[in-house]
Amino acid sequence: MSSKIVFLFLLASVVYFWYSKKSDSVDFKQKIKEGAIILDVRSPGEFASGHIENSINIPVNDLSTHLDKIPNKEQVIITCCASGMRSAKARNILQSNNYIQVYNGGGWASLQNKIR
């Protein structure tokens, strides 16, 4: 195994560990009770195969051109996808477009368990 691959694996592990600890401190269930929306950024096919009830589906690659579907920039938004990578990208897109309260919920199945 090349040192570059080992480095990338270690970097991904550190990022995953950091993210998992950071997301544990957010009470997603409470955010939902307070009116947060869940933005699922997977493909329509992935969304159709299972999703959190009442979540909105806008694929991450289409998000920048569909921000009009989330007009309130002060709305609490929880992004989710399959693993947390695309939802992190979506969070960055939203924040760069002046959305104030955006949380990366990670994988949709994991998020669903946290909000039950």
Side-chain angles (χ1 to χ4, degrees):
M1 194 182 292
S2 78
S3 60
K4 187 174 184 179
I5 292 172
V6 171
F7 173 77
L8 291 174
F9 175 76
L10 290 173
L11 180 62
S13 297
V14 168
V15 169
Y16 175 79
F17 178 77
W18 175 81
Y19 164 75
S20 66
K21 292 301 174 196
K22 185 175 181 183
S23 69
D24 287 344
S25 65
V26 177
D27 186 347
F28 292 112
K29 189 173 187 175
Q30 185 61 35
K31 297 284 183 200
I32 300 292
K33 285 181 184 177
E34 294 171 355
I37 60 169
I38 299 173
L39 176 63
D40 190 319
V41 296
R42 296 175 296 150
S43 71
E46 289 174 295
F47 186 79
S49 70
H51 60 272
I52 297 173
E53 187 177 351
N54 299 320
S55 59
I56 298 169
N57 180 228
I58 305 172
V60 70
N61 292 334
D62 300 335
L63 185 56
S64 294
T65 58
H66 288 85
L67 293 174
D68 59 317
K69 293 183 179 180
I70 312 169
N72 182 355
K73 293 189 177 192
E74 295 179 10
Q75 172 75 49
V76 177
I77 301 167
I78 302 169
T79 61
C80 68
C81 63
S83 67
M85 297 302 287
R86 287 176 285 179
S87 56
K89 182 177 178 181
R91 179 178 182 257
N92 290 338
I93 291 169
L94 291 167
Q95 288 180 324
S96 69
N97 281 279
N98 302 315
Y99 287 81
I100 299 170
Q101 299 183 75
V102 186
Y103 300 90
N104 181 355
W108 78 273
S110 173
L111 178 59
Q112 183 168 314
N113 289 331
K114 291 176 184 176
I115 63 174
R116 286 187 178 169

